[in-house]
Amino acid sequence: QVQLVESGGGLVQAGGSLRLSCAASGSGFTIRTMGWYRQAPEKQREPVAAFRFSSGGSTYYGDSVKGRFTISRGDAKNTVYLEMNSLKPEDTAVYYCHADIPGAPYEYWGQGTQVTVSS
């Protein structure tokens, strides 16, 4: 059984920074890609950033966060961090960790962590 455990998030003023972390627990699986989505009230969930463990650790960023957010892998296996800088009020959302495991019957999601940026 795969579980994604998130930490970080909270309330910060515009221009500030936050760091999110996500760790996958369990055994007998290999994660291909791990990353973050976010969902603001009355909006669709959107991809924020992703880290591909294969392919030399390539990364993906949504257009709205490029240059401000950085995703990286942790020293522990199946762990990623999302460093969020220059935060804007429009970054306010629930952030969900996501893992893509080849061959798995479904996708894996964390419970979500709230990020609120005040103006």
Side-chain angles (χ1 to χ4, degrees):
Q1 183 72 13
V2 180
Q3 283 191 316
L4 302 181
V5 180
E6 302 153 339
S7 61
L11 174 64
V12 65
Q13 288 188 330
S17 300
L18 284 174
R19 188 194 199 202
L20 305 181
S21 65
C22 180
S25 64
S27 62
F29 60 88
T30 300
I31 296 177
R32 176 166 54 195
T33 304
M34 201 164 170
W36 298 88
Y37 284 67
R38 68 185 182 186
Q39 187 167 19
E42 301 182 358
K43 291 190 176 181
Q44 289 190 330
R45 192 172 293 190
E46 63 173 355
V48 175
F51 187 96
R52 192 174 182 97
F53 289 100
S54 59
S55 303
S58 60
T59 56
Y60 159 86
Y61 295 97
D63 288 341
S64 61
V65 306
K66 283 180 181 177
R68 300 188 298 122
F69 291 11
T70 302
I71 189 168
S72 61
R73 68 184 305 169
D75 292 335
K77 188 178 180 181
N78 297 329
T79 300
V80 292
Y81 299 103
L82 184 67
E83 191 74 36
M84 304 184 293
N85 298 315
S86 302
L87 283 162
K88 305 174 182 180
E90 49 264 44
D91 293 318
T92 296
V94 178
Y95 285 69
Y96 295 92
C97 182
H98 172 267
D100 169 38
I101 299 174
Y106 38 74
E107 298 175 69
Y108 294 92
W109 295 91
Q111 77 281 5
T113 185
Q114 177 70 46
V115 171
T116 302
V117 184
S118 62
S119 57

